[in-house]
Amino acid sequence: MKLLLTGAGGLLGSAVIAAAAARGDTCQALARPALGACSAPDPGHAPGCGAITAAQLAERLRGYDLLLHAAANTNVEQCETDPDGCYRDNFLLTELLAQAAAIAGVRMLFVSSTGLYGTGSDAPYHEYDAAAPTTHHHRSKLLGEQAVLAAARDNLVVRTGWLFGGAPATAKNFVARRIDEARKAAAEGRHIESNAEQRGVPCWNRDVAMRMLDLAAAGVTGVVNCVNSGNASRYEYVRAVVELSGAGVEVRPSSAAGFNRKANVSPNEMADNWKMRMLGWPDMPDWRASLTTYLRTELADY
């Protein structure tokens, strides 16, 4: 496949580049298209701003097999205080890309979140469960999904979970930051705490990236959950990170209330790869096994 990728510098985008190379696919980065307020155009002229139209953007997409949209505003807390920015980044930009891809005749894969299922169940969610997002971030992702699926019937939406991976210096490297926190606590002779109430699925960016490309190459369409096997509370996840890293500090369970979040994030972000299983796809690797591999390879010297 010949891929065009948004968010190439992000946690998942960087893994997509590596996965594409391993598959023998061509992958190029697409810079963020300009969005902005435009003055009313004169008849026969473009809007009076630097914003690009879907037709103009389509010219950049021609000749590619797949547009993989991994870029996103992932700051769930900031989305609550700046909803306009959140919907601009996660909905309007996605809508523009979907329209452009449809004009160019290019399939689109949109990366979404299992967090948008909401609070309707205590069990892992299936693709046929209703989405009822509880935050601006997750609602913006749902609107993005709807725009992508409405633009072309062969588009694909992948809902994934708590991503980990990447270089240790990456600011959003959850595993590396928890190791830093644990080492600091150990040096100061204290414990650390983590939320024992919220549950989800830790997902290695490498596993998700490779499976996404496989799904796209196979022509899978619609909404697909794509998470590692198993699930965990935040506490169980952090405890596994600390134990596997050998940081030597106690991790204690705490309540969600102790973290004073602005966003009303669902306590259940677990998902099940029901659709893939029904279509005959193999199980994704267990999250603990992938976490162990990640720590022993990419974080071996950290």
Side-chain angles (χ1 to χ4, degrees), residues 201-224:
V201 184
C203 299
W204 194 13
N205 62 346
R206 285 192 178 188
D207 292 335
V208 174
M210 186 60 76
R211 181 58 62 91
M212 288 197 309
L213 295 185
D214 288 345
L215 290 168
V220 176
T221 64
V223 174
V224 178

Side-chain angles (χ1 to χ4, degrees), residues 161-196:
W162 297 344
L163 286 171
F164 69 83
T170 304
K172 292 185 178 180
N173 187 320
F174 181 86
V175 172
R177 299 295 76 76
R178 297 294 74 73
I179 294 173
D180 292 343
E181 180 186 13
R183 287 172 176 169
K184 186 173 187 294
E188 296 172 356
R190 55 181 177 83
H191 69 275
I192 62 174
E193 297 184 355
S194 188
N195 185 350

Side-chain angles (χ1 to χ4, degrees), residues 18 23 48 51 70 94 97 132 140 171 197 199 206 212 214 248 284 286 292:
R23 287 173 46 87
T94 302
L97 289 166
S140 71
E197 297 177 354
R199 299 193 69 84
R206 285 192 178 188
M212 288 197 309
D214 288 345
M284 293 279 283
D286 180 81
T292 301

Side-chain angles (χ1 to χ4, degrees), residues 59-241:
E59 294 305 311
R60 300 186 192 175
L61 309 185
R62 296 191 193 281
Y64 289 90
D65 301 308
L66 181 73
L67 169 62
L68 199 161
H69 183 29
N73 181 338
T74 59
N75 192 326
V76 180
E77 299 296 291
Q78 187 180 42
C79 281
E80 294 301 306
T81 57
D82 181 21
D84 281 355
C86 178
Y87 289 103
R88 176 198 64 218
D89 295 341
N90 294 339
F91 168 46
L92 286 182
L93 178 58
T94 302
E95 183 179 56
L96 173 66
L97 289 166
Q99 292 169 348
I103 293 170
V106 176
R107 287 189 66 210
M108 183 171 177
L109 189 161
F110 175 55
V111 180
S112 191
S113 169
T114 59
L116 56 69
Y117 283 109
T119 59
S121 175
D122 293 328
Y125 289 102
H126 302 82
E127 290 88 344
Y128 55 74
D129 289 316
T134 58
T135 71
H136 283 303
H137 168 77
H138 293 107
R139 184 166 185 270
S140 71
K141 296 297 285 186
L142 179 59
L143 290 172
E145 287 188 6
Q146 293 168 349
V148 169
L149 295 176
R153 64 182 182 180
D154 60 347
N155 283 344
L156 174 62
V157 169
V158 170
R159 293 174 179 168
T160 193
W162 297 344
L163 286 171
F164 69 83
T170 304
K172 292 185 178 180
N173 187 320
F174 181 86
V175 172
R177 299 295 76 76
R178 297 294 74 73
I179 294 173
D180 292 343
E181 180 186 13
R183 287 172 176 169
K184 186 173 187 294
E188 296 172 356
R190 55 181 177 83
H191 69 275
I192 62 174
E193 297 184 355
S194 188
N195 185 350
E197 297 177 354
Q198 188 188 35
R199 299 193 69 84
V201 184
C203 299
W204 194 13
N205 62 346
R206 285 192 178 188
D207 292 335
V208 174
M210 186 60 76
R211 181 58 62 91
M212 288 197 309
L213 295 185
D214 288 345
L215 290 168
V220 176
T221 64
V223 174
V224 178
N225 289 339
C226 184
V227 294
N228 281 83
S229 296
N231 57 73
S233 67
R234 287 282 184 185
Y235 160 69
E236 291 166 339
Y237 180 20
V238 172
R239 186 178 64 181
V241 169

